[in-house]
Amino acid sequence: TQLLEQSPQFLSIQEGENLTVYCNSSSVFSSLQWYRQEPGEGPVLLVTVVTGGEVKKLKRLTFQFGDARKDSSLHITAAQPGDTGLYLCAGGFGNEKLTFGTGTRLTIIP
Amino acid sequence: NAGVMQNPRHLVRRRGQEARLRCSPMKGHSHVYWYRQLPEEGLKFMVYLQKENIIDESGMPKERFSAEFPKEGPSILRIQQVVRGDSAAYFCASSPLGSDAPYGYTFGSGTRLTVV
């Protein structure tokens, strides 16, 4: 069974601060995705990374895939209240279904 | 271009009744996935289907749960004789090429099942 552990589980910070959340696994994935989920809605894809060591930027969000393709991080610069939500990483391997992580619930305090 | 459509958004059932959850994938998507989410938890995989085929049902409870994706019409997740522990949000997702494509999944807004 492939497990994806995310840390921290909960994070509450002031607007304008920077933060990093982590996604770790003992398994290798061929691709890793990050989603954000808001209350009452389904997750929305933010990014997909497929190459070990890959870094992708989406405005104030920076995503990195570990060299061994077992872990990933999401860094947010100058957090804003609109960044509040549940952040989920998900690993894919071949044609198997995506395995989702345990989630990080982020709250940005204005 | 409509996204993934799930209905109903909210469903209340008494213990012992049947629950039917529907999912219409995005146009052009032939891969459908069902996930269950409990409050404050991540998404737990249930079943992966393509048209008229169950590809992976390793996350589906052996009893009372079934899923289908017929040639015509939406995918259906059916829960028979519901119990309180079935109360959760059930999400459907679709993709054009399976999980290994860089496109990711497109999720519906979910069905929130409450068993009373």
Side-chain angles (χ1 to χ4, degrees):
Chain A
T1 303
Q2 299 167 327
L3 293 175
L4 281 163
E5 296 287 337
Q6 290 187 242
S7 61
Q9 187 177 358
F10 297 95
L11 182 59
S12 183
I13 65 170
Q14 295 286 337
E15 180 177 1
E17 293 184 352
N18 301 333
L19 65 107
T20 302
V21 298
Y22 301 92
C23 172
N24 294 291
S25 174
S26 57
S27 301
V28 174
F29 292 99
S30 55
S31 69
L32 197 136
Q33 300 169 8
W34 285 90
Y35 292 77
R36 181 170 67 210
Q37 184 180 21
E38 298 189 13
E41 296 298 329
V44 175
L45 178 68
L46 296 174
V47 77
T48 300
V49 285
V50 296
T51 305
E54 183 176 1
V55 176
K56 279 193 175 178
K57 294 196 176 204
L58 185 66
K59 296 184 181 177
R60 294 176 294 100
L61 278 59
T62 301
F63 304 85
Q64 184 161 9
F65 201 10
D67 290 341
R69 292 187 289 132
K70 291 183 179 181
D71 54 82
S72 181
S73 63
L74 159 58
H75 181 79
I76 301 178
T77 304
Q80 298 178 2
D83 296 327
T84 293
L86 177 66
Y87 287 81
L88 295 162
C89 65
F93 192 85
N95 284 321
E96 297 179 3
K97 75 283 186 184
L98 283 178
T99 298
F100 279 82
T102 48
T104 292
R105 190 164 295 281
L106 176 64
T107 302
I108 308 302
I109 303 166
Chain B
N1 185 18
V4 176
M5 304 300 293
Q6 287 190 251
N7 65 82
R9 286 293 302 266
H10 300 273
L11 182 61
V12 179
R13 283 288 177 266
R14 295 186 184 280
R15 281 179 295 169
Q17 289 186 320
E18 178 180 288
R20 277 180 175 250
L21 288 61
R22 295 174 186 78
C23 169
S24 296
M26 278 191 72
K27 188 176 180 180
H29 287 193
S30 59
H31 300 253
V32 167
Y33 309 83
W34 286 92
Y35 286 80
R36 178 163 62 179
Q37 186 176 40
L38 295 173
E40 305 300 324
E41 292 189 9
L43 295 165
K44 300 289 187 211
F45 168 76
M46 298 184 74
V47 63
Y48 165 24
L49 310 107
Q50 294 180 27
K51 286 283 187 182
E52 300 183 282
N53 279 309
I54 296 175
I55 307 302
D56 182 350
E57 56 181 348
S58 59
M60 196 101 96
K62 295 281 188 285
E63 298 179 353
R64 302 188 299 107
F65 286 73
S66 62
E68 63 176 3
F69 187 15
K71 188 176 180 181
E72 301 289 339
S75 175
I76 305 287
L77 178 66
R78 182 182 177 205
I79 311 173
Q80 295 178 291
Q81 299 174 339
V82 296
V83 300
R84 288 224 171 105
D86 296 333
S87 295
Y90 291 84
F91 289 95
C92 169
S94 71
S95 72
L97 291 174
S99 63
D100 203 27
Y103 310 103
Y105 289 177
T106 301
F107 279 87
S109 296
T111 294
R112 277 139 195 89
L113 173 66
T114 303
V115 179
V116 298

